[in-house]
Amino acid sequence: MLTLENINFELEVEERKVPILHDVNINFEAGKMYALTGPNGSGKSSVARVAMGIYRQTAGRVLYNGEDISSLGISERARRGIGYAFQHPPRFKGMPVKDMLELAFKHSDGYNCQVLRDIGLCPDDYLERTLDNSLSGGEIKRIEIATLLAQNPRVRIFDEPEAGIDLWSFEQLIDVIGNSHREDTITVVISHQEKILNMVDEIILVRDGTVSMRGSRDEIWPQIKESAECGCRKSCRLEEKIYADCPR
Ligand SMILES: Nc1ncnc2c1ncn2[C@@H]1O[C@H](COP(=O)(O)OP(=O)(O)OP(=O)(O)O)[C@@H](O)[C@H]1O
Ligand SMILES: [Mg+2]
């Protein structure tokens, strides 16, 4: 079980504290698939980053199988079996795809190219390529997902895996993520896609930096549709003014 307990997170921007997350409480249970969804800027990636140790919470705790891992860094959490595929994967100039996969497979059953094929990339074309700007957005995203699949961590968090993936490959992507899920894994997919929300056990709606609803697809989906609001509202609130021209 991965638990985020009373998580608050503030960023310091130009000597000003900007609240990003407040009172986030989530239990992720083994064997279940979850979707984190919510408006742009609501804090979904920040939740994932706190879980992975990329962001350090201002208050609250992160527990993994009963152990308080709040003070552990990214590598220590990765060693414990937590993995994250970035929404915007970093580029590593000069690092070949095969080296990245070799590193990813280190803790499992040896090097193989199947993860690339699974995600729709021909190993012959990509193993020698380097993870720099020469790869397209969709290609780097696929390699990021393949790397997480190769790591095969107990907790796998995919941050908008569909972003940049063409329509023809979308169904294949859903299958790959769904098929990689096991009884002893926690799969968390951050997504706005109805098809992804349809395949999970539980949907968690993040709004304004906190969890506003969670439940099964049938419970949550109608409420999400009903409560969809104009994206300008959040920034208007930050500016402490009412956006009178809001079209909705
Ligand atoms: N360095 C920063 N400086 C200021 N604000 C930041 C910074 N990093 C993140 N934020 C803000 O934190 C909020 C949450 O960002 P986050 O990336 O978690 O949102 P998200 O729900 O993943 O959005 P999206 O659906 O667009 O990916 C946003 O309003 C974002 O602008
Ligand atoms: Mg995000």
Side-chain angles (χ1 to χ4, degrees):
M1 166 119 55
L2 176 69
T3 305
L4 304 185
E5 191 181 270
N6 297 325
I7 295 293
N8 286 269
F9 172 61
E10 290 177 346
L11 267 175
E12 196 147 330
V13 183
E14 292 167 6
E15 295 176 19
R16 203 167 50 92
K17 289 200 161 47
V18 180
I20 307 291
L21 299 176
H22 64 92
D23 306 327
V24 171
N25 286 289
I26 311 178
N27 283 328
F28 296 107
E29 288 171 36
K32 282 195 172 180
M33 290 186 78
Y34 298 85
L36 279 187
T37 194
N40 293 136
S42 56
K44 304 175 298 295
S45 296
S46 302
V47 168
R49 284 164 173 256
V50 167
M52 193 64 229
I54 300 164
Y55 284 164
R56 192 59 52 86
Q57 68 279 359
T58 323
R61 297 193 306 168
V62 182
L63 304 166
Y64 183 49
N65 293 337
E67 182 193 7
D68 187 345
I69 58 166
S70 307
S71 60
L72 300 186
I74 303 168
S75 320
E76 288 158 306
R77 292 189 202 200
R79 271 198 287 277
R80 277 164 176 74
I82 304 174
Y84 173 57
F86 282 85
Q87 181 175 0
H88 304 291
R91 312 248 175 182
F92 299 101
K93 256 188 181 172
M95 182 170 205
V97 171
K98 69 173 170 29
D99 288 7
M100 178 63 105
L101 287 179
E102 264 169 14
L103 277 175
F105 273 113
K106 210 171 155 192
H107 300 292
S108 56
D109 52 1
Y111 179 70
N112 82 62
C113 301
Q114 189 56 39
V115 285
L116 283 181
R117 293 192 193 95
D118 288 346
I119 207 71
L121 297 178
C122 173
D124 289 348
D125 293 340
Y126 286 94
L127 281 173
E128 301 298 333
R129 296 279 302 269
T130 56
L131 292 160
D132 55 19
N133 289 332
S134 67
L135 289 165
S136 76
E139 288 168 337
I140 195 103
K141 192 77 186 171
R142 285 167 192 247
I143 291 164
E144 174 79 355
I145 294 165
T147 304
L148 186 60
L149 293 170
Q151 284 167 356
N152 196 20
R154 285 278 170 87
V155 180
R156 61 270 314 266
I157 308 172
F158 298 91
D159 198 340
E160 298 200 26
E162 73 274 14
I165 302 290
D166 59 67
L167 281 176
W168 297 270
S169 312
F170 180 56
E171 300 286 337
Q172 184 188 4
L173 173 78
I174 291 181
D175 285 348
V176 167
I177 292 177
N179 292 337
S180 77
H181 181 70
R182 300 186 314 261
E183 275 188 8
D184 60 346
T185 58
I186 295 170
T187 302
V188 182
V189 189
I190 299 174
S191 180
H192 306 282
Q193 287 293 326
E194 190 171 357
K195 281 201 168 164
I196 289 183
L197 302 189
N198 273 335
M199 80 173 179
V200 300
D201 299 298
E202 203 171 315
I203 301 175
I204 297 169
L205 178 63
V206 179
R207 288 175 92 88
D208 296 338
T210 198
V211 173
S212 74
M213 278 186 245
R214 65 180 290 175
S216 69
R217 190 253 175 224
D218 290 346
E219 286 168 314
I220 297 296
W221 184 244
Q223 299 189 57
I224 290 176
K225 281 191 141 169
E226 201 175 292
S227 65
E229 65 174 11
C230 172
C232 68
R233 289 271 293 279
K234 186 178 176 224
S235 35
C236 297
R237 274 199 292 277
L238 285 177
E239 295 292 326
E240 292 180 351
K241 65 182 182 192
I242 296 165
Y243 189 84
D245 298 331
C246 178
R248 292 191 204 170

